[in-house]
Amino acid sequence: MKQIHVKDIAETVERLCIQACTALGDDWWQAMENAVSLEESPLGKDLLGIIRENAGLAASTGEPICQDTGLAVVFLEIGQEVSITGGSLYDAINEGVRRGYINGYLRKSVVSDPLIRENTGDNTPAIIHTEIVPGSDLRITVAPKGAGSENSSGLKMLKPADGEEGVIRFVMEVVEAAGPNACPPIVVGVGVGGNLEKSALLAKRSLLRPLGERHPKPHIAKLEEELLKRINSTGIGPQGLGGRITALDVHVEVHPTHIASLPVAVNIQCHASRHAEAVL
Amino acid sequence: MKRIRTPLDDETIRTLKAGDQVALSGVLLTGRDAAHKRLVDTYKAGQELPVDLRGQVIYYVGPCPAKPGKVIGSAGPTTSSRMDPYTPLLVRELGLKGMIGKGYRSKQVVDVLKAQCAIYFLAVGGAGALLAQRIKQAEVIAYPDLGAEAIYRLEVEDFPLIVGIDSQGRNAYEEGQAKYRLAGA
């Protein structure tokens, strides 16, 4: 049994919160380079340039890319041969978030009760998704998610007869309604199948996949291409001010579902596609 | 690129058209959902407001905390439509002349911009690190208990903006998107 102390987990989460909020991945830089070369609108090109300049500045100064440093969404993949020692795992995650958001000068955007709405002051609690997997590693992914794009997301329980065309129609509805509010160029995460909550989690998780990478199943990869083409035909463009590049990519994840169900969740990610991971 | 200064007068506002790129200097006030609600509640209760909005521009922003030695943390725009229910009163009754945010506005907001010669600017969403560099001074002047949602007084220099909705009600989103929408989309 591999032993991992909660102190190491808290330290890792602290570091990942700061890293995710200040530095974007190589896949993002590549996707933005492609976007600039494909964008036809002069203003759109300028806006993509500003977004890249901002990301470069954030990476070099350690200033957050965006002031909405989001809810801290934490994905845990815990190897079944790992033993967590020294205290509570979830307490350690929240301690890491607390320290990351305080020591990293990140914005605290969490209210303790959705109706009373008092700020918790340290951006806790995190939203934690835990999966038990084979092996002896603990993989931690921190994906801060801002509200502009999260509030533009949606979920619908379609009928099986709606089929692929119904899925496309609903994704387009969500993207059109999101418009500039979600800070395009966006990344569109789609979860199809499972049930209500499974589809939402699939959509969120799909946002962690590197930009430019297609689903391994050919018919899903084809659906991703079709959706990307349609989304980039809307004219919404960078910041919603018109142009060719509304989305940098579309990721679809699927799961077995009920004979009577076709759930579809669409999780919109703003251009600041922030996530950072570590393996202990 | 047009260079303008706050406070804004009608003459300046009328020269600005949807889609224009603008560099704005002077004073901005910040305000988000909670501050808007308090301002409107205070006005409706007949009490004195903590800020004078006449001729002013409100920036919809909840900045990150300033690092030591810095004026302010990352400070980009938040989604404006959440302020739509409060905006007509601020413009009509309190003399607010401009807003900075991102995203669509309601018909009621567009109507009040036209009726009162006011204007809606866009800042680049998610460019908070870059925008923070154009903020030269920042101090909380009202509602400090709201934290990032308090009302700040900001001094900005050549703050880069795009006219989103002008005083004639023209809309940069509609006009920009129409040019690039492909048939069948």
Side-chain angles (χ1 to χ4, degrees):
Chain A
M1 209 70 174
K2 178 167 158 187
Q3 307 232 321
I4 300 177
H5 198 277
V6 289
K7 188 168 66 69
D8 296 328
I9 295 171
E11 269 167 23
T12 303
V13 170
E14 175 183 359
R15 177 172 60 79
L16 292 176
C17 287
I18 297 171
Q19 185 187 327
C21 286
T22 54
L24 295 165
D26 294 342
D27 60 325
W28 184 86
W29 286 97
Q30 185 59 53
M32 283 296 286
E33 196 170 323
N34 298 345
V36 171
S37 69
L38 292 171
E39 182 53 65
E40 294 163 17
S41 152
L43 176 60
K45 258 191 205 296
D46 282 357
L47 292 166
L48 293 172
I50 290 171
I51 289 166
R52 285 209 293 186
E53 193 187 338
N54 180 70
L57 185 67
S60 65
T61 61
E63 207 59 67
I65 297 157
C66 175
Q67 75 291 339
D68 188 352
T69 47
L71 279 173
V73 182
V74 180
F75 291 92
L76 299 176
E77 285 176 41
I78 308 174
Q80 61 194 25
E81 285 148 53
V82 171
S83 167
I84 312 285
T85 62
S88 148
L89 170 61
Y90 286 4
D91 285 352
I93 301 288
N94 281 318
E95 179 57 24
V97 168
R98 180 177 300 119
R99 298 207 304 243
Y101 276 73
I102 291 172
N103 298 339
Y105 294 87
L106 308 177
R107 199 180 77 186
K108 289 76 180 173
S109 310
V110 177
V111 293
S112 58
D113 180 291
L115 299 178
I116 298 169
R117 306 196 74 84
E118 276 171 5
N119 199 301
T120 62
D122 59 9
N123 221 54
T124 67
I127 307 273
I128 305 173
H129 301 295
T130 309
E131 220 181 321
I132 307 294
V133 298
S136 56
D137 286 336
L138 169 59
R139 180 183 295 269
I140 305 173
T141 306
V142 176
K145 190 69 162 64
S149 59
E150 194 73 358
N151 289 349
S152 306
S153 301
L155 191 154
K156 195 169 183 184
M157 304 303 282
L158 300 182
K159 295 181 178 62
D162 294 327
E164 187 175 313
E165 224 9 80
V167 171
I168 293 173
R169 211 163 36 235
F170 180 61
V171 173
M172 294 308 296
E173 256 174 50
V174 173
V175 167
E176 291 270 9
N181 295 6
C183 285
I186 54 177
V187 180
V188 182
V190 184
V192 185
N195 57 1
L196 184 97
E197 79 276 12
K198 183 73 186 180
S199 63
L201 196 52
L202 288 171
K204 172 123 301 161
R205 221 175 231 292
S206 79
L207 297 173
L208 302 178
R209 195 202 302 166
L211 301 175
E213 196 177 295
R214 292 274 72 85
H215 194 280
K217 286 184 181 171
H219 74 292
I220 302 302
K222 197 163 149 267
L223 175 60
E224 290 174 344
E225 296 284 358
E226 174 64 20
L227 281 167
L228 185 59
K229 195 178 108 206
R230 291 214 200 179
I231 290 167
N232 284 340
S233 300
T234 58
I236 293 170
Q239 295 288 303
L241 284 162
R244 203 66 308 131
I245 307 296
T246 302
L248 295 173
D249 209 351
V250 179
H251 294 161
V252 180
E253 294 294 336
V254 291
H255 195 81
T257 187
H258 191 277
I259 48 174
S261 294
L262 179 52
V264 184
V266 183
N267 198 194
I268 308 262
Q269 167 69 58
C270 63
H271 62 72
S273 172
R274 295 167 288 185
H275 47 90
E277 68 169 46
V279 179
L280 297 180
Chain B
M1 181 80 77
K2 290 182 182 168
R3 303 186 76 181
I4 55 170
R5 285 201 77 84
T6 63
L8 296 180
D9 56 36
D10 289 8
E11 198 185 336
T12 308
I13 292 172
R14 284 200 194 93
T15 65
L16 301 173
K17 302 296 171 204
D20 284 354
Q21 289 181 265
V22 171
L24 183 145
S25 299
V27 170
L28 302 177
L29 302 174
T30 74
R32 295 171 47 106
D33 317 48
H36 273 72
K37 184 174 182 338
R38 276 201 204 172
L39 287 173
V40 167
D41 288 349
T42 305
Y43 175 78
K44 285 184 174 166
Q47 291 160 354
E48 198 187 340
L49 293 166
V51 288
D52 183 356
L53 294 180
R54 278 173 297 178
Q56 296 297 324
V57 177
I58 291 188
Y59 182 21
Y60 302 142
V61 61
C64 281
K67 289 186 173 178
K70 298 275 182 182
V71 171
I72 198 166
S74 191
T78 192
T79 305
S80 308
S81 59
R82 295 197 317 274
M83 272 53 80
D84 284 357
Y86 308 110
T87 297
L89 187 144
L90 264 53
V91 175
R92 191 177 297 116
E93 310 296 334
L94 304 177
L96 180 70
K97 277 295 183 184
M99 290 143 270
I100 302 171
K102 65 167 167 114
Y104 302 134
R105 305 304 304 260
S106 67
K107 185 181 176 299
Q108 288 77 5
V109 171
V110 179
D111 288 346
V112 84
L113 295 182
K114 283 158 68 177
Q116 305 291 324
C117 190
I119 189 162
Y120 172 48
F121 298 104
L122 312 176
V124 176
L130 198 71
L131 291 167
Q133 290 197 324
R134 305 296 176 91
I135 299 173
K136 302 303 173 188
Q137 271 192 56
E139 59 168 328
V140 173
I141 55 164
Y143 309 149
D145 59 301
L146 294 180
E149 295 207 61
I151 297 183
Y152 287 69
R153 179 184 182 279
L154 305 180
E155 277 181 36
V156 300
E157 223 171 86
D158 289 331
F159 203 68
L161 302 171
I162 295 166
V163 177
I165 303 171
D166 64 27
S167 56
Q168 273 86 55
R170 272 182 55 200
N171 183 318
Y173 288 127
E174 282 168 15
E175 294 180 10
Q177 292 182 19
K179 273 189 235 165
Y180 293 94
R181 177 172 287 269
L182 298 178

